[in-house]
């Protein structure tokens, strides 16, 4: 399947998961999980956003570590239950942002 000329290898739903623990989708339906996606590549942002929404999560996107740090520090403490962080980004990389958070 192609998305904006880039081939997607696997969808999140086709990834194997353990039968002993609930799937991410089941967890997201029992409690609304809000995820911060920190990614500078617009195509990756759109792919992640689409897959995560399809699984029942809500998302916000930051384009780099500076934006992510601002979002995390300007919201209530538990606003984001999860952060998906790219490591190589302009202005502030994922390593430095994670350290700051």
């Amino acid at each position: 399947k192609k998305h904006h000329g880039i081939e997607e290898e696997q969808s999140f739903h086709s990834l194997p998961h353990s039968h002993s623990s609930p799937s991410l989708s089941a967890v997201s339906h029992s409690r609304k999980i809000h995820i911060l996606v920190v990614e500078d590549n617009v195509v990756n942002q759109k792919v992640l956003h689409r897959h995560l929404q399809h699984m029942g999560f809500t998302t916000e996107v930051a384009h780099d570590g500076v934006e992510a740090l601002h979002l995390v520090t300007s919201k209530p403490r538990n606003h984001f239950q999860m952060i998906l962080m790219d490591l190589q980004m302009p202005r502030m990389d994922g390593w430095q942002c994670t350290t700051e958070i």
Side-chain angles (χ1 to χ4, degrees):
K1 184 176 176 182
K2 286 192 175 187
H3 181 71
H4 295 302
I6 296 176
E7 235 175 277
E8 295 178 33
E9 292 181 19
Q10 250 183 351
S11 74
F12 282 90
H13 287 291
S14 65
L15 294 175
H17 64 278
S18 169
H19 293 287
S20 62
S21 63
S23 70
L24 285 176
S25 185
V27 170
S28 72
H29 291 298
S30 64
R31 178 180 148 202
K32 210 50 160 171
I33 294 178
H34 192 57
I35 300 173
L36 176 59
V37 175
V38 187
E39 171 62 62
D40 60 324
N41 182 293
V42 176
V43 173
N44 290 345
Q45 289 172 2
K46 289 178 181 180
V47 169
L48 275 169
H49 173 76
R50 186 182 72 218
H51 282 297
L52 292 169
Q53 270 200 324
H54 183 71
M55 294 172 70
F57 300 104
T58 59
T59 62
E60 285 184 54
V61 174
H63 296 88
D64 59 39
V66 172
E67 284 184 28
L69 189 56
H70 173 74
L71 280 171
V72 168
T73 58
S74 67
K75 306 275 184 179
R77 181 168 168 75
N78 293 319
H79 183 76
F80 300 108
Q81 287 75 47
M82 185 183 303
I83 300 174
L84 299 178
M85 180 85 66
D86 185 7
L87 296 178
Q88 297 179 339
M89 297 176 290
R91 296 199 310 163
M92 181 187 291
D93 66 29
W95 296 110
Q96 184 180 354
C97 184
T98 300
T99 301
E100 295 291 325
I101 292 171

